[in-house]
Amino acid sequence: MGSLEALQDRFARGTAFVMRVRLEDKPDALGPVLAAVVKAGARTGEIQLAEHPAGAMVYDIQVFTTGDEQMAAARQAAAAVKGAEVLTVLDPAMETHRGGACETRSRTPISSNTDLRIVYTPGVARVCKAIQADPANAWEFTNICNRVAIATNGTAILGLGDIGVLAGLPVMEGKAAIFWEFARISAEPVLIDTHDPEEFITIMEKLAAGFGAIQIEDVAAPACFHITRELDRRLPIPVFHDDQHGTATIVLAGLLSALKKTGKNIERMRCAISGAGAAGTAIADMLHIAGIDDVVLADRAGILYRGRKENMNAEKVALAQRTNKDNIRGTLADAMAGRDLFIGVSQPNLVSQAMVASMTKAPIVFALANPVSEITVAEAYQAGAAVAADGRMMNNALAYPGIFRGALDSAAESITVDMMLAAAAALAGLVPQGQLMPKMMDPATHQAVARAVANAAQKP
Amino acid sequence: MGSLEALQDRFARGTAFVMRVRLEDKPDALGPVLAAVVKAGARTGEIQLAEHPAGAMVYDIQVFTTGDEQMAAARQAAAAVKGAEVLTVLDPAMETHRGGACETRSRTPISSNTDLRIVYTPGVARVCKAIQADPANAWEFTNICNRVAIATNGTAILGLGDIGVLAGLPVMEGKAAIFWEFARISAEPVLIDTHDPEEFITIMEKLAAGFGAIQIEDVAAPACFHITRELDRRLPIPVFHDDQHGTATIVLAGLLSALKKTGKNIERMRCAISGAGAAGTAIADMLHIAGIDDVVLADRAGILYRGRKENMNAEKVALAQRTNKDNIRGTLADAMAGRDLFIGVSQPNLVSQAMVASMTKAPIVFALANPVSEITVAEAYQAGAAVAADGRMMNNALAYPGIFRGALDSAAESITVDMMLAAAAALAGLVPQGQLMPKMMDPATHQAVARAVANAAQKP
C-alpha cells in the first residue's frame, strides 16, 4: 500500500475533499496555505496545478478531514492566508457521481444506412425470429448472457436505512460501475418503488426475461429473505442477495485466510455474531456449512435464543432453531465471552476492548459494520486479537463480480452454496504473504473467483 | 448515396449475407465464384480478404439475396466451382447482435482503493444523503438525466406481432444502440412480461424513478394509447410512444418537405391513411394540428366512419368522431380516390397503381409499411405521384434520438405536440436539395432536432 493510500486509510472514516486555491505567483505562496490546513486539524494529500493564469497559480489541494466541520475550518484557515483565495471545495464522491456512475452504450458502431438496417429493421427481424423459434437463442444473440439487474426497494441503503429508491440509486450505479470494471458485466440499476415484498417479487419476475442474473441489493431484513428465496425458486436465473451471500462468502474467505495464519482448526471454532439481519443470518448458515457447529447471534435485544419473545420475526425464530446449540441467553458481551471468533455486521462501537479480552486467547475479530466498525482494528489488536479486520479490508467487491462472472459464464440457474464455498476458497488461496485478503485491484483476483465459481457450477 | 448503398437499397427487402470462401491461390480463382453467385440470381457486394493461408485465399464475399432460398442456391453454385470451398455463410444481422447490441459500463475508472471508496462506500453515502435531502439532486448526481427506458410488452414487435418480450429484445437493444450512437443517450431495454395494460402501467410507474424519460415501444394498439396517456399523466417525466409520436413526427417532416418541393398548400390537402392503429391514429391527429381538416382512415374493415360496427374499439370510435368529416364509407380505394396525400402504415402491397392514379393529379404517396410497403416507390412514381417515399426513406430514427435528447436537455416533464412540431420543422429545414429527408448519418441532423425540441420545451 502506497503512503498516500496509508494516509487515506487513516482518514477513511472521514471525508477527502479537493480545495481549489488561487495564489499569487510567488515561490513561497503554497507553504503557508498547507500549514493553515494542518493547523485546522486536517491533512493535505496530492497537490496539482489546475491553472496558471497571468500572475497567479491555481492549485487543487486534496484535504483529508474528519468531515464537513473540519473542512469548513480548513477552508477558513486557508482563506485567511494573505494572497490566497479559496475558489471552491469539491467533494470527489459528488464529482465522480455527477452525471451518474454508469451508462448504457451501443456495442456496435452505426456509421452507414447499412449498419442501421442490420442493428435495426429490417435485419433485426431475423434475430427476433431466431429467438421466437428457439428462446435459448436469446442467450447468444442478446446481451442477457452478460446483463445483471441490481434490484432494490431502497429500504436498507448502506447504513442509512429506508431512504427510498431514488436516494439509493448512486449505490446501485456504483455497484454497476464495479461490475463493469472488475468483471466486464453489464449491470443495470432496477429501482422498484414498493414496500410490499410480494409486489417486489411480482415486478421483478415480470422483468426477469431481460437479465441473465439478479443481484438483490440493500433490501431490508426480514423481507430480503423471502424475496431472494422466492425469486430464486421461480426464476431460471441466479438470484443473489449481496448483503447475505456476498458478505457470507467474504467472511468465510477471511476466516479461511485467518485460520491459515493462526494454524487454528475451523471445526473447533466457537463463534459470536453481532447482528441478526441479512448478513448475520447468512454468515451463521455459511459457517455451519463450513463446519462450525457452535454459533451464537446477538441483536439489539441480546442473544438470540429459542423461546425469545422480544424483537422476533419468523426468520429469527427459525434462525434460533438452527443456532445457539446450548440456548444461552444474555447480552452481546455474554455471547462473546470465551469464544474464538467474533463477526460484527451490526452497528458502530458496540464492542469494547474488554469484550475482546473476554474471548479465548488470540481470537479472530472481524468488525465489519460500515462505515464505522464495532471496534477498530487497532483496538482489537491491542485487546489481544490474533487477527483483526474491518469492512475496508473485507470488502464484498472482492467476491460478487467474480461470482456473477462465473455464474454467467456457466449459464448457471442458481448461485449454489458450493459456488460460494468455491469463491471463498479461491479468495483465501490468493492472499499475499502478510495480508488477510487478496488484492482488489488485481484482475487476477476476480478472474480466479470466476473460474472457481464456473467450475463449481458445472459439477453434477 | 454511394453505389454500394444504391445496390443495397435494391436488395433491401431481402437479406445480405457474407459468404466465406476458400480458393486456390491463383489469379483467376475469384471470377468464376462471383459469376456463379450472379447466375444463381444473387448479387455480390464488398469482397474482403479474410485469411491468406499457404496455397490458398479466403475471401468474405457480401451476397445480396431475396432471402434464405436464394442464398442457399448461391452457396450451392459457389461450392460447385472447381477449387472453391464455401467455409461458412454469415448473416451480418445475427453477427452484429451476437452478445447483444448494447451494454452498461462504468463512467469512471476504478483503479485504486481510493477510487473504490469514492464510487462506492463510504463516499457514495454522501451522494445518497444529498439526494435524500433534496430529490432534485438526483438529476445532477445520477445518470437519470440521460437514462431512457425502452419499455415493451412484446405484443407488436416490428411487423411480427405478439412474439413476446424475449424475442422482441433485439429490437429494444437495437434502439438502445441507436439512442447512444445518434444522441449519446443511455437507453435500457425494459421487458415487462404482461398482457394486462393496467399491470404494465403499474410496473412501469414503480420503476420510473430510475429514468429521465420513457419510450414505449412495440406495444399493440389499442392498449398502447391508454398505457402511454396514463403513464404520461401519472409521471413527471416524458412518456413517448415511438410508433405513435415518432412516426407522426416523421410523416409531418416528410410532408413539409414534399410541400416545399411541390409548392402545395398544407391547408388544401385532403388525406387518406391506410392503417388505424398506433401510427395511423397519431398521424391523423398530427395532420389535424398541422392544419389538414379532411383526413379519412381505412383499416382492414374499410373506411372508418361514425356508426361503423365492424372491427371497432373505444379508440376507433373516438377517432371516427374527429376524422372523416363527410362520414364517407367504402374501401381503401374509395378513401384514396380524389385525395392529395396518401399515408400507408398498414400492410404490404395493399395499394395498386390504379389507386394512386385515382388520386388528384401529382399526389404525395408515403407508403411506410415495414419491411415491405403498401406500394413500391417506383410504382407510385409510375402511377403519377409527385413525391413518393417508403419506410427506408422516412425512418423514425431521424426523429426520436433528437427528440429525447432535447427533452432530457430541457428536463421536460412531457414531450408536447409543440415539441414534435418543432422536431418536424427542424427536420424539414435540413433536407438537402433533391432529397425528401435529411441525412441520418450526419450528427448535425440529430443535434438540430434536439435544439429545436429543447427550445420548444422551454417556451411558456
Side-chain angles (χ1 to χ4, degrees):
Chain A
M1 194 180 283
S3 59
L4 183 62
E5 285 278 314
L7 185 62
Q8 288 171 326
D9 256 24
R10 277 178 54 197
F11 289 90
R13 295 183 178 192
T15 309
F17 293 93
V18 173
M19 182 169 69
R20 178 163 287 191
V21 184
R22 183 191 169 96
L23 300 172
E24 293 170 40
D25 189 359
K26 295 191 304 183
D28 58 348
L30 190 56
V33 171
L34 303 184
V37 168
V38 171
K39 203 166 171 192
R43 294 287 180 277
T44 55
E46 289 193 333
I47 298 169
Q48 293 183 325
L49 186 63
E51 288 169 36
H52 189 358
M57 304 287 270
V58 177
Y59 289 102
D60 281 343
I61 305 172
Q62 198 176 18
V63 182
F64 299 114
T65 73
T66 52
D68 290 339
E69 210 168 308
Q70 195 175 69
M71 184 64 233
R75 179 183 189 146
Q76 203 171 8
V81 172
K82 189 170 177 306
E85 183 189 357
V86 177
L87 300 178
T88 183
V89 172
L90 299 175
D91 178 339
M94 299 298 286
E95 295 312 308
T96 295
H97 282 270
R98 187 183 294 278
C102 61
E103 69 192 359
T104 303
R105 294 167 167 244
S106 177
R107 291 186 69 237
T108 177
I110 304 176
S111 50
S112 69
N113 286 317
T114 304
D115 290 344
L116 189 62
R117 289 206 288 266
I118 284 171
V119 78
Y120 203 65
T121 58
V124 72
R126 297 199 297 279
V127 188
C128 295
K129 282 185 208 161
I131 297 172
Q132 188 186 10
D134 181 1
N137 281 329
W139 192 261
E140 194 171 344
F141 295 104
T142 76
N143 192 238
I144 62 169
C145 57
N146 201 39
R147 190 183 285 140
V148 170
I150 306 176
T152 192
N153 61 0
T155 52
I157 301 294
L158 307 176
L160 305 172
D162 185 2
I163 63 173
V165 289
L166 188 63
L169 178 54
V171 172
M172 310 307 131
E173 290 191 355
K175 221 145 195 181
I178 291 168
F179 265 120
W180 179 260
E181 289 288 306
F182 292 167
R184 287 295 181 264
I185 284 170
S186 182
E188 290 174 9
V190 176
L191 307 185
I192 305 179
D193 192 8
T194 176
H195 281 72
D196 175 354
E198 299 306 328
E199 187 174 35
F200 188 98
I201 291 167
T202 305
I203 292 176
M204 195 62 242
E205 190 182 9
K206 304 262 179 197
L207 299 175
F211 299 98
I214 296 168
Q215 166 132 298
I216 304 294
E217 182 68 20
D218 289 1
V219 171
C224 64
F225 299 111
H226 174 58
I227 285 172
T228 308
R229 273 194 302 254
E230 189 60 18
L231 281 171
D232 199 39
R233 190 183 70 74
R234 292 191 197 180
L235 296 173
I237 56 173
V239 180
F240 183 92
H241 181 205
D242 190 42
D243 303 292
Q244 294 178 64
H245 310 125
T247 307
T249 302
I250 285 295
V251 164
L252 180 58
L255 177 59
L256 294 175
S257 175
L259 292 173
K260 207 184 288 179
K261 287 164 83 88
T262 56
K264 295 187 183 189
N265 186 333
I266 195 168
E267 283 163 21
R268 302 240 181 101
M269 288 274 127
R270 296 174 67 243
C271 174
I273 299 174
S274 176
T281 303
I283 291 165
D285 290 337
M286 182 69 95
L287 294 182
H288 180 74
I289 289 162
I292 301 181
D293 76 343
D294 191 350
V295 175
V296 170
L297 297 102
D299 61 11
R300 66 196 66 178
I303 291 174
L304 186 70
Y305 60 89
R306 290 175 290 289
R308 197 178 88 170
K309 299 292 171 209
E310 215 182 327
N311 193 31
M312 295 299 277
N313 58 45
E315 297 289 344
K316 285 189 184 175
V317 169
L319 184 60
Q321 291 294 329
R322 57 185 195 270
T323 58
N324 194 356
K325 64 178 190 170
D326 298 327
N327 211 35
I328 63 170
R329 305 181 181 198
T331 64
L332 175 60
D334 298 322
M336 289 175 68
R339 296 200 171 245
D340 312 279
L341 171 62
F342 168 77
I343 299 162
V345 281
S346 50
Q347 296 291 324
N349 306 318
L350 289 187
V351 173
S352 67
Q353 287 188 301
M355 286 157 76
V356 173
S358 78
M359 297 175 72
T360 55
K361 199 175 167 219
I364 298 167
V365 174
F366 296 157
L368 309 180
N370 234 329
V372 180
S373 54
E374 287 82 356
I375 182 169
T376 68
V377 169
E379 288 166 343
Y381 276 123
Q382 282 164 13
V387 176
D390 62 17
R392 282 172 293 158
M393 296 158 73
M394 293 175 62
N395 189 322
N396 286 19
L398 279 165
Y400 64 79
I403 290 176
F404 275 87
R405 180 76 276 155
L408 291 169
D409 288 350
S410 57
E413 296 198 352
S414 282
I415 292 169
T416 62
V417 168
D418 283 344
M419 290 157 76
M420 294 184 239
L421 291 173
L427 285 167
L430 291 166
V431 176
Q433 192 70 28
Q435 300 289 316
L436 180 69
M437 299 298 284
K439 290 181 186 159
M440 178 76 80
M441 295 302 147
D442 187 348
T445 301
H446 306 286
Q447 288 160 8
V449 172
R451 271 195 308 274
V453 168
N455 285 341
Q458 278 148 1
K459 278 190 194 153
Chain B
M1 194 180 286
S3 59
L4 183 63
E5 285 278 315
L7 185 62
Q8 288 172 328
D9 256 24
R10 275 177 56 196
F11 288 90
R13 294 182 180 194
T15 309
F17 294 93
V18 173
M19 182 168 68
R20 178 164 288 190
V21 183
R22 182 191 170 97
L23 300 172
E24 292 171 41
D25 190 358
K26 295 193 304 184
D28 58 348
L30 190 57
V33 171
L34 303 184
V37 168
V38 171
K39 204 168 173 194
R43 293 289 179 276
T44 56
E46 288 193 336
I47 298 169
Q48 293 184 323
L49 185 63
E51 287 169 37
H52 190 357
M57 304 287 269
V58 177
Y59 289 102
D60 281 342
I61 305 172
Q62 198 177 21
V63 181
F64 299 113
T65 73
T66 52
D68 289 339
E69 210 169 309
Q70 195 175 68
M71 185 63 234
R75 178 184 190 146
Q76 203 172 6
V81 172
K82 191 168 175 310
E85 183 190 356
V86 178
L87 300 178
T88 184
V89 173
L90 299 176
D91 178 340
M94 298 298 286
E95 295 312 309
T96 295
H97 281 270
R98 188 182 294 280
C102 61
E103 69 192 358
T104 303
R105 294 168 167 245
S106 177
R107 291 187 69 237
T108 177
I110 305 177
S111 49
S112 69
N113 286 316
T114 304
D115 291 343
L116 188 62
R117 289 207 287 267
I118 284 170
V119 78
Y120 204 67
T121 58
V124 71
R126 298 198 296 279
V127 187
C128 296
K129 282 186 208 162
I131 297 172
Q132 188 186 10
D134 180 1
N137 281 329
W139 192 260
E140 194 171 346
F141 295 104
T142 76
N143 191 237
I144 63 171
C145 58
N146 202 39
R147 190 183 285 142
V148 170
I150 306 176
T152 191
N153 62 358
T155 52
I157 301 295
L158 308 174
L160 304 174
D162 185 1
I163 64 172
V165 289
L166 188 63
L169 179 53
V171 173
M172 310 308 131
E173 290 192 355
K175 222 146 193 179
I178 291 168
F179 266 121
W180 179 260
E181 289 289 305
F182 291 167
R184 287 297 180 264
I185 285 170
S186 182
E188 290 174 11
V190 176
L191 307 185
I192 304 179
D193 191 9
T194 177
H195 281 72
D196 175 356
E198 298 307 327
E199 187 175 36
F200 188 98
I201 291 166
T202 305
I203 290 177
M204 195 62 241
E205 190 182 10
K206 304 262 177 195
L207 298 175
F211 298 98
I214 296 169
Q215 166 132 299
I216 304 294
E217 182 68 20
D218 288 0
V219 171
C224 64
F225 300 111
H226 174 59
I227 285 173
T228 307
R229 274 194 302 254
E230 188 60 20
L231 280 171
D232 199 39
R233 190 183 70 75
R234 292 190 196 180
L235 296 173
I237 57 173
V239 181
F240 183 91
H241 182 204
D242 190 43
D243 303 292
Q244 294 178 63
H245 310 125
T247 306
T249 303
I250 285 294
V251 164
L252 181 58
L255 177 60
L256 296 175
S257 175
L259 293 172
K260 207 184 287 178
K261 287 164 83 87
T262 57
K264 295 186 182 190
N265 186 333
I266 195 167
E267 283 162 22
R268 301 241 180 101
M269 287 275 127
R270 296 175 66 242
C271 175
I273 298 174
S274 177
T281 304
I283 291 166
D285 290 338
M286 182 70 96
L287 294 181
H288 181 74
I289 290 162
I292 301 182
D293 76 345
D294 191 351
V295 174
V296 170
L297 297 101
D299 60 12
R300 64 196 66 177
I303 291 173
L304 186 70
Y305 60 88
R306 289 175 290 289
R308 196 177 89 169
K309 300 292 171 211
E310 216 183 326
N311 193 31
M312 294 298 279
N313 59 44
E315 297 290 344
K316 286 188 184 173
V317 169
L319 184 60
Q321 290 294 330
R322 58 186 195 270
T323 58
N324 193 356
K325 64 178 190 171
D326 299 326
N327 211 35
I328 63 171
R329 305 180 181 198
T331 63
L332 175 60
D334 298 322
M336 289 174 68
R339 296 200 172 245
D340 312 278
L341 171 62
F342 167 77
I343 298 162
V345 282
S346 49
Q347 295 291 325
N349 307 317
L350 289 186
V351 173
S352 67
Q353 286 188 302
M355 286 157 75
V356 173
S358 79
M359 297 175 72
T360 55
K361 198 174 168 221
I364 297 168
V365 174
F366 295 157
L368 308 180
N370 235 328
V372 180
S373 54
E374 289 81 358
I375 181 169
T376 69
V377 169
E379 288 166 344
Y381 275 123
Q382 282 163 13
V387 175
D390 61 18
R392 284 171 292 159
M393 296 157 73
M394 294 175 62
N395 189 322
N396 285 19
L398 279 165
Y400 64 79
I403 290 176
F404 275 86
R405 179 76 277 152
L408 290 168
D409 288 351
S410 57
E413 297 198 352
S414 284
I415 292 169
T416 62
V417 168
D418 284 344
M419 291 157 76
M420 294 184 241
L421 292 172
L427 285 168
L430 290 166
V431 175
Q433 191 71 28
Q435 300 290 315
L436 181 70
M437 298 298 283
K439 291 181 186 157
M440 177 76 79
M441 294 302 147
D442 187 347
T445 300
H446 306 286
Q447 288 159 9
V449 172
R451 272 194 309 273
V453 168
N455 285 341
Q458 277 149 1
K459 278 189 193 151

